Amino acid sequence: MQSLQDKASEWSGVKREDAFAIDEVNLFQKLGLQTLVNLSTKFYNRVYDDEEEWFRSIFGNSKKEDAIQNQYEFFVQRMGGPPLYSQRKGHPALIGRHRPFPVTHRAAERWLHHMQLALDETPDIDADSKVRMTNFFRHTAFFLVAGDEMKNQNQQTQCKHGIQQPAAP
């Protein structure tokens, strides 16, 4: 059975060592808080203005300002800065926190589309940091897809005829 990390590598096309190359450099020190705030703001402005209703609806129960803060605090913490996210919200627990949302391959690709554009629109992020961040984001997006598929498998079982049936409560 493949681990979630292995599935993430397979589906994202990003090797684990490339995904975690963000740990070789303290990107928080290199880029600074304001750059990560700017990146998150540009990203969520794009997400909340997305022309695809199915994608926008994923974020429909969240305030944009809260989404921006959650993301930049996570980025700060994950990229070598102070544990802002954990201090305010507890352990990041990405799969658990994304459990209510449909994290499909299609949604991951759309998320990554907006993140790539936000990275490209953030001039304070140098080329090397963009590559490291892109690999991390791509791998993590598909890690969440693998977690979503695991959640769905746990909610449904197959009967002997191969028909999906809800799992017993």
Side-chain angles (χ1 to χ4, degrees), residues 134-145:
T134 297
N135 285 337
F136 173 73
F137 295 149
R138 185 158 189 81
H139 190 273
T140 301
F142 285 97
F143 175 78
L144 293 174
V145 171

Side-chain angles (χ1 to χ4, degrees), residues 11 14 41 43 49 79 100 116 130 133 152-153 157 159 169:
W11 293 342
V14 177
T41 301
F43 171 76
D49 290 340
M79 295 182 191
Q116 187 61 57
K130 281 182 185 178
M133 293 167 81
N152 291 334
Q153 287 172 357
T157 59
C159 75

Side-chain angles (χ1 to χ4, degrees), residues 41-53 55-56 59 64 110 114:
T41 301
K42 290 174 190 301
F43 171 76
Y44 274 108
N45 284 340
R46 299 188 66 76
V47 165
Y48 279 80
D49 290 340
D50 190 291
E51 63 272 8
E52 300 284 340
E53 194 281 327
F55 185 73
R56 271 192 333 271
F59 303 87
K64 181 166 59 170
R110 192 77 182 158
H114 288 302

Side-chain angles (χ1 to χ4, degrees), residues 102-117:
V103 187
T104 63
H105 288 260
R106 183 177 177 214
E109 289 294 353
R110 192 77 182 158
W111 190 97
L112 289 162
H113 165 76
H114 288 302
M115 182 53 75
Q116 187 61 57
L117 292 172

Side-chain angles (χ1 to χ4, degrees), residues 10-22:
E10 178 185 330
W11 293 342
S12 69
V14 177
K15 295 177 194 170
R16 190 182 291 196
E17 58 269 20
D18 293 335
F20 296 105
I22 65 165

Side-chain angles (χ1 to χ4, degrees), residues 18-166:
D18 293 335
F20 296 105
I22 65 165
D23 296 330
E24 297 168 0
V25 176
N26 187 316
L27 292 175
F28 172 73
Q29 286 180 346
K30 186 176 180 180
L31 303 174
L33 173 64
Q34 192 57 54
T35 299
L36 297 176
V37 170
N38 293 345
L39 174 64
S40 295
T41 301
K42 290 174 190 301
F43 171 76
Y44 274 108
N45 284 340
R46 299 188 66 76
V47 165
Y48 279 80
D49 290 340
D50 190 291
E51 63 272 8
E52 300 284 340
E53 194 281 327
W54 69 268
F55 185 73
R56 271 192 333 271
S57 71
I58 295 171
F59 303 87
N61 292 328
S62 303
K63 291 182 183 176
K64 181 166 59 170
E65 297 76 22
D66 293 342
I68 291 167
Q69 182 179 6
N70 289 339
Q71 187 178 73
Y72 81 71
E73 285 182 354
F74 172 74
F75 288 173
V76 165
Q77 179 170 322
R78 185 61 188 85
M79 295 182 191
L84 300 178
Y85 186 90
S86 291
Q87 288 170 348
R88 190 170 59 85
K89 298 199 56 102
H91 190 283
L94 290 179
I95 289 175
R97 293 200 187 269
H98 289 82
R99 186 172 301 270
F101 309 107
V103 187
T104 63
H105 288 260
R106 183 177 177 214
E109 289 294 353
R110 192 77 182 158
W111 190 97
L112 289 162
H113 165 76
H114 288 302
M115 182 53 75
Q116 187 61 57
L117 292 172
L119 281 165
D120 292 344
E121 294 170 357
T122 307
D124 295 333
I125 302 176
D126 61 281
D128 178 67
S129 296
K130 281 182 185 178
V131 168
R132 291 172 190 273
M133 293 167 81
T134 297
N135 285 337
F136 173 73
F137 295 149
R138 185 158 189 81
H139 190 273
T140 301
F142 285 97
F143 175 78
L144 293 174
V145 171
D148 192 66
E149 288 194 0
M150 180 182 68
K151 167 192 79 176
N152 291 334
Q153 287 172 357
N154 290 340
Q155 290 175 349
Q156 297 181 351
T157 59
Q158 296 247 343
C159 75
K160 65 182 178 178
H161 303 291
I163 299 169
Q164 295 272 322
Q165 297 185 343

